[in-house]
Amino acid sequence: EFAEIKLHPVFGYEILKHLGQLQHVLPGVMHHHEAWNGTGYPNGLKKDEIPVAARILAVADAYDAMTSDRPYRKGISLQKAESILRKGAGTQWAPAVVSAFFEVIDEVHAIIANKEKRSYLPVNKSDYVFEEDVVDEEDMVLSAIMTTTALSENRLYSGLN
């Protein structure tokens, strides 16, 4: 069963690869489950072999997955998720991306607080990394987290490419 779950990045890539306006997200879709130490999937990429977009998406996706309620479990606290990200920096996730994420943690908390209030998000839609892909509020939250993390990483670690 886990072997099938591990194929979802490939399936996502295959679904999106024919859509011209989504070409820029393909590396993130395909490689967002690669691990910094090379133990991830689908290709076992490690460190700088992992595309920057995938490194950013991996942190944002993990944080969202850990803190969101699922039909089969409650989300964990923000503090617990943040502790897990810190512990996984350098093994599961790119240390520079985790560091950049914590540079904007106050903005991330504001995004989550606004989501919970069902209010507007504190960024303009035109500022999102993947503006044309924003469909619903969940997409807006993930895009806003990715945007703030990407901006911070760009400011702090411009030499990652």
Side-chain angles (χ1 to χ4, degrees):
E1 189 174 308
F2 186 58
E4 285 189 38
I5 290 171
K6 289 178 16 176
L7 293 175
H8 86 267
V10 177
F11 293 150
Y13 177 91
E14 290 297 321
I15 290 167
L16 299 176
K17 75 180 183 182
H18 303 291
L19 302 174
Q21 70 272 29
L22 297 179
Q23 295 300 300
H24 62 285
V25 302
L26 291 178
V29 170
M30 177 65 91
H31 299 293
H32 71 281
H33 283 291
E34 302 288 359
W36 191 246
N37 64 5
T39 61
Y41 59 89
N43 299 112
L45 301 180
K46 64 182 176 185
K47 298 186 178 184
D48 292 336
E49 295 171 347
I50 304 167
V52 173
R55 296 179 220 171
I56 294 169
L57 181 57
V59 171
D61 182 55
Y63 189 75
D64 179 63
M66 288 187 280
T67 59
S68 296
D69 290 342
R70 305 293 181 167
Y72 51 89
R73 65 151 175 83
K74 291 282 290 168
I76 64 175
S77 72
L78 301 182
Q79 295 75 21
K80 176 73 173 164
E82 290 161 14
S83 174
I84 291 169
L85 286 178
R86 283 188 175 96
K87 288 177 184 167
T91 54
Q92 180 68 30
W93 301 286
V97 176
V98 173
S99 181
F101 180 81
F102 284 104
E103 285 287 320
V104 295
I105 198 66
D106 290 340
E107 290 92 335
V108 171
H109 289 164
I111 291 164
I112 292 167
N114 282 324
K115 174 187 172 190
E116 290 169 359
K117 288 188 236 172
R118 309 296 267 160
S119 182
Y120 70 92
L121 295 173
V123 292
N124 297 321
K125 186 178 179 206
S126 63
D127 293 335
Y128 292 140
V129 172
F130 306 118
E131 174 185 354
E132 61 275 0
D133 303 329
V134 175
V135 175
D136 59 25
E137 190 169 310
E138 191 71 20
D139 291 340
M140 290 172 64
V141 170
L142 183 57
S143 182
I145 291 170
M146 289 178 64
T147 299
T148 55
T149 303
L151 291 173
S152 180
E153 179 173 301
N154 207 16
R155 190 172 62 242
L156 298 172
Y157 305 100
S158 59
L160 281 178
N161 283 328

